[in-house]
Amino acid sequence: MTALLPLSAPALPVPSLAAADGCAPISAVNVVDWLLGGDRSWTFVVPGTGWVLTGRAVFLAAMAIGILLLTGLGVAASGKAELRRRWTTWAIIVPTVGIPIWAGRGTTALLAALLALQGVRELSRLARLPRAETLLLGLLALAYPVAAWLRPGLLGLAPLMVLVCALPAVLAGDTADGVRRASLAGFASVWIPWSLAHLVVLWQDAFLIAFAAAAADVAAWAGGTFLRRFTWARRPLSPLSPNKTLGGLVGAVVGAVLILTLLGQITPGLVVAVGLGGVLGDLLESMMKRAAGVKDAGAWLPGFGGLLDRVDSLLLVLPLAAVLG
């Protein structure tokens, strides 16, 4: 995380791609070495405050702002409404997620809980869950992030809580709709509250993972759009969403490789988590919306649908990154 030093403290130098003696010119070898293993701990002096920020979070913030600005120019030039919508969404999400994460584990747990509560609210409406299941999921939306903060081992109780989610239907003696209620509630307990609690589990890497997922999401759209000239690229991944194609999947994986390399966290596990997990997370939410017969999960974000429409990729990326990364 970011360290705050007094101005009088010796500041760490900003990483340079030049040689250590400062004389050698930047070369392709320098660039490759930095990409593969260079220092991502940067230092920034806040003007007029006497504060020195140092650490990897400074690098991540600089990369996030820089990439958003550069891609924003491309998005504006493209004139594509869908691409503009995706860029705007992530331009809002990046600081909304980043600031609480940088503030500490407690604020990250608060962020995860708020996101989970809204996600549960939207899913309950989509799946027409009774009040009892909704309240139980709401409690888990609060409990899982707090557990991840204070007692991470308690997240291992998730399979047991899936069974607990069947209690309302069992106690009500609901033979007509009980299996559906229990199944949906149990699935939702893992899909939303438990998954979002991994923002706290990952904590120091959570912003990096969220930002990489955002970049891969845009790359998936670009791959699906610009590779559609090829027959194989137009093949849908699932009947659930004809717009989710093999070309989009290729774009997501390539985007994941590029952004994770730039951020200095390239591993096979993270490429799978970010590249594949994001696309599958999107398809999973599409299945829920198709079953409910709606286009958007909600209207919480005017013009952009519900919260689940914005974080559906993260719901698989986060736990996969925690396991595979």
Side-chain angles (χ1 to χ4, degrees):
M1 298 300 290
T2 305
L4 183 61
L5 305 176
L7 189 56
S8 58
L12 297 176
V14 176
S16 171
L17 296 182
D21 60 8
C23 299
I26 295 175
S27 68
V29 174
N30 296 140
V31 174
V32 171
D33 287 344
W34 181 80
L35 285 174
L36 295 180
D39 185 13
R40 300 305 202 274
S41 179
W42 285 13
T43 296
F44 174 73
V45 179
V46 181
T49 64
W51 294 346
V52 177
L53 301 175
T54 185
R56 191 181 63 170
V58 178
F59 166 77
L60 291 176
M63 288 298 100
I65 294 171
I67 291 174
L68 281 173
L69 289 176
L70 288 175
T71 55
L73 294 175
V75 168
S78 73
K80 301 288 186 179
E82 173 65 13
L83 193 55
R84 185 168 60 249
R85 180 183 67 83
R86 288 173 180 267
W87 184 91
T88 302
T89 296
W90 287 110
I92 295 171
I93 288 176
V94 164
T96 301
V97 171
I99 292 173
I101 290 173
W102 289 330
R105 288 176 63 89
T107 50
T108 304
L110 176 61
L111 169 69
L114 292 175
L115 293 176
L117 283 170
Q118 177 60 25
V120 164
R121 179 172 174 268
E122 292 179 359
L123 180 69
S124 178
R125 182 186 65 84
L126 283 177
R128 299 180 296 279
L129 285 176
R131 183 177 179 84
E133 279 84 356
T134 302
L135 289 175
L136 180 55
L137 290 174
L139 289 175
L140 292 176
L142 296 174
Y144 277 139
V146 172
W149 175 29
L150 301 176
R151 295 286 296 277
L154 293 177
L155 293 181
L157 296 176
L160 177 61
M161 297 313 299
V162 170
L163 299 178
V164 170
C165 286
L167 280 179
V170 171
L171 294 177
D174 188 352
T175 57
D177 197 39
V179 173
R180 185 193 71 88
R181 288 170 54 183
S183 301
L184 280 172
F187 164 73
S189 72
V190 173
W191 186 43
I192 299 177
W194 183 81
S195 290
L196 286 171
H198 285 77
L199 281 170
V200 189
V201 174
L202 293 166
W203 185 42
Q204 291 183 328
D205 294 319
F207 179 76
L208 181 150
I209 298 301
F211 185 66
D217 183 53
V218 175
W221 180 90
T225 300
F226 297 111
L227 293 176
R228 67 174 54 182
R229 70 185 69 177
F230 304 106
T231 302
W232 62 266
R234 296 195 297 270
R235 184 176 303 167
L237 294 173
S238 168
L240 291 170
S241 181
N243 291 328
K244 302 297 184 298
T245 62
L246 189 55
L249 179 61
V250 170
V253 173
V254 171
V257 169
L258 293 176
I259 193 64
L260 289 170
T261 300
L262 178 62
L263 297 177
Q265 294 292 322
I266 181 72
T267 68
L270 281 182
V271 170
V272 171
V274 174
L276 299 182
V279 174
L280 293 177
D282 201 345
L283 285 172
L284 185 55
E285 198 227 358
S286 294
M287 182 175 67
M288 299 298 296
K289 291 189 294 186
R290 281 292 186 94
V294 298
K295 182 178 183 293
D296 295 321
W300 189 63
L301 299 171
F304 299 102
L307 179 71
L308 288 178
D309 296 311
R310 302 303 96 208
V311 302
D312 51 3
S313 60
L314 282 178
L315 295 178
L316 279 190
V317 169
L318 287 172
L320 282 175
V323 174
L324 301 177

